[in-house]
Amino acid sequence: MSQATGGGSSTSWQQPDTPPFLRIEGVVKRFGDFVAVDGVSLDIYRKELFCLLGGSGCGKTTLLRMLAGFEQPSEGHIYLDGSDMTDAPPYERPVNMMFQSYALFPHMTVAGNVAFGLKQDRVPAPEIKRRVTEALDLVQLGPFAKRKPHQLSGGQRQRVALARCLIKRPKLLLLDEPLAALDKKLREQTQFELMTIQEEVGITFIVVTHDQEEAMSLSTRIAVMDRGQIAQVGTPTEIYEYPRTRFTADFIGSINFFDGKVTGREGEALTVDVPVLGISLQVRSEIELPPGREVCVAVRPEKISISREPLDLPNVLRGKVRDLGYLGNLSVYRVELDGGRLVKVSTANTLHSTEREVDWDDMVYLGWRSSAALVLSE
Amino acid sequence: MRRRNWFLFSALCFGFAFLYGPILSLIIYSFNASRLVTVWGGFSTRWYGELFRDPQIIDAALLSLRIGAVNATFAVALGTLAGLAITRFGRFRGRMLFTGMIAAPLVMPEVITGLSLLLLFVTLESVVGWPSGRGVTTITIAHITFSMAYVAVIVQSRLSSLDGSLEEAALDLGARPWKVFLVITLPIIAPALVAGWLLAFTLSLDDLVIASFVSGPGASTLPMVVFSKVRLGVSPDVNALATIIVLIVSLAVVVSGWLMIRSERRRERDVQEALAGRS
């Protein structure tokens, strides 16, 4: 796997000699004829905030449930901190899970819910009391200790659920769609709280989510899952800037694809002939691909320049603005090329102006550098 | 508009009169001073006094209460297990059949239930020697068989609306399966268990047909005693007894209904507050 290092920080998953904290080895889960998880192998390191990202039915929740011990893998092994816990029941694993529905016990108070895990371990009462207070202070719910779950708001319940999992100081915390039940504003705020808390307690987090923005902003690394398999593992930057497959590129963010054939190399760039456009595109690539190889050129909308004046760039297309969306911080264009093909372009609205440079039905030039595009051969 | 209201109102009155008129007249005549049931001879509570001095009635009443309590306790235990099996065991072969068979005693004619149980007890006695003869034990067993079906249905409906991740969360936090059942599942379904107990108790207290089939000498439940008394002519003390039974039964029904409604309302309120908390 190509690991492009991002920044100068030396984190454990970037050092080749660190042993993994959690090792998932060839795990398969079948339900009858249906294969929910199909041969997943992953290494996750200490103190990571790791995201399992994928659409519904991609197997991410089943994988999480196998880590928690609610499902037994049909094949494969799971090692945590060196010991095999493939067949350990949930109540014997140093792993806790935060459920999507939070699953707070309705007949217990907030303090009772948070203390539950410690009571099972027969921790002495004074220590339970001290640690419950500590955990509730961590999530800023101290004054709500005596309330019942139904007397709390959605965001408060989420924090009770978090405190309840954290209090046992698990080696691994699993979070199933932790922010899905919150509204957008609260979600953004909670997202940062979650990251702060994770740094504070130093526990390895594994988060399951279908929300790519959430995954991008939360995690140290992301595993994109598709039909029970891992499509790609990498840091958010790697996943976004260097997707290895068409699926990953399409799933994360929005992107334009042009199918074509490699014709040759000019310095750092490959030349790809794209029949739909009637021209050749220049794409920088370190991978050597033989001429005649079928490939796909992918360009993100924000990497394309749009202008009414001719552009001095290696890849230039010409078209007419068909659609224009104003999103406040961004403007999104759909440009119809001469061949009828639509291209998505977005620009940041850096100027405070009511006058747009480019408007509906304008004839425009689209252009990008050879380093802005990617060649996907899978 | 007004005319329709009057029509509905009179329909309502007629319905209530039809349902509760007989019971009301029974209650009124239980306070009749006259020995003749149909002639009003002034207000008196003498029949209640006489009732409590009749050892046959008192014994039968105590027996019925005892059978009712034992029956209700066993029915709740077995019915809860059946309800758990249906909702928690997942899909198994013949699950539909099992669910249907659990509910069958609810619609089975009592005569058939009684007769089949009688045959079973007679056969059992001749084959394994237990139960020896028919009496309190056989009545109790017979009552448990049909009232556990009611409990199973009540428990099943409560369990199926319970979020399964609650039990998983408890397991995840270190509680063993048996502990999870005791500290999470049971407290949450407790109102349904209480309602089921009261219902089973009432069913047992009411039953005449099945008890008559499987009873033996010396074991007469209250409904059996009342029925045999009435065959010799209605005496006013039976009115007094009936009034007391009506009181007990309606109390049990009201309490169990109130428990069910209260827990239902609480759940609805929780759901609404949860939704309000999210938006």
Side-chain angles (χ1 to χ4, degrees), chain A residues 6-36:
Chain A
S9 65
S10 63
T11 27
S12 56
W13 55 94
Q14 289 160 347
Q15 292 170 347
D17 52 340
T18 322
F21 187 57
L22 174 75
R23 164 160 270 174
I24 301 170
E25 220 173 68
V27 164
V28 176
K29 178 68 188 177
R30 296 186 203 91
F31 295 105
D33 294 336
F34 176 68
V35 185

Side-chain angles (χ1 to χ4, degrees), chain A residues 65 96-97 107 150 168, chain B residues 168 172-173 179 183 270 273:
Chain A
R65 290 174 59 80
N96 285 125
M97 175 155 164
H107 58 298
H150 64 82
K168 290 195 77 176
Chain B
E168 285 183 344
D172 186 62
L173 291 166
K179 184 94 186 278
V183 298
D270 283 1
E273 280 181 18

Side-chain angles (χ1 to χ4, degrees), chain A residues 65 70 90-92 95-97 99 101 103-108 116-117 120 150-151 154 157 164 168 181 183, chain B residues 163 165-177 179 183-184 187-188 266 269-270 273-274 277-279:
Chain A
R65 290 174 59 80
F70 300 132
Y91 45 88
E92 280 171 7
V95 173
N96 285 125
M97 175 155 164
F99 290 81
S101 64
L104 299 180
F105 307 132
H107 58 298
M108 295 183 190
F116 187 86
Q120 304 315 309
H150 64 82
Q151 295 167 311
R157 274 182 227 186
R164 191 176 69 174
K168 290 195 77 176
D183 60 276
Chain B
D163 180 6
S165 57
L166 287 176
E167 286 164 340
E168 285 183 344
L171 281 176
D172 186 62
L173 291 166
R176 275 150 202 286
K179 184 94 186 278
V183 298
I184 304 296
I188 294 175
R266 183 178 294 167
R269 197 185 57 197
D270 283 1
E273 280 181 18
R278 276 171 195 179
S279 57

Side-chain angles (χ1 to χ4, degrees), chain B residues 148-175:
Chain B
M148 73 163 270
Y150 287 85
V151 177
V153 170
I154 293 176
V155 170
Q156 183 204 350
S157 77
R158 181 67 190 93
L159 274 177
S160 60
S161 64
L162 185 74
D163 180 6
S165 57
L166 287 176
E167 286 164 340
E168 285 183 344
L171 281 176
D172 186 62
L173 291 166

Side-chain angles (χ1 to χ4, degrees), chain B residues 93-106:
Chain B
R93 279 175 86 85
R95 185 187 144 153
M96 278 293 280
L97 189 70
F98 181 66
T99 314
M101 278 165 72
I102 281 285
L106 269 61

Side-chain angles (χ1 to χ4, degrees), chain B residues 261-276:
Chain B
I261 288 170
R262 198 182 63 157
S263 69
E264 187 68 36
R265 285 224 182 107
R266 183 178 294 167
R267 208 158 62 233
E268 271 171 22
R269 197 185 57 197
D270 283 1
V271 168
Q272 269 168 8
E273 280 181 18
L275 291 176

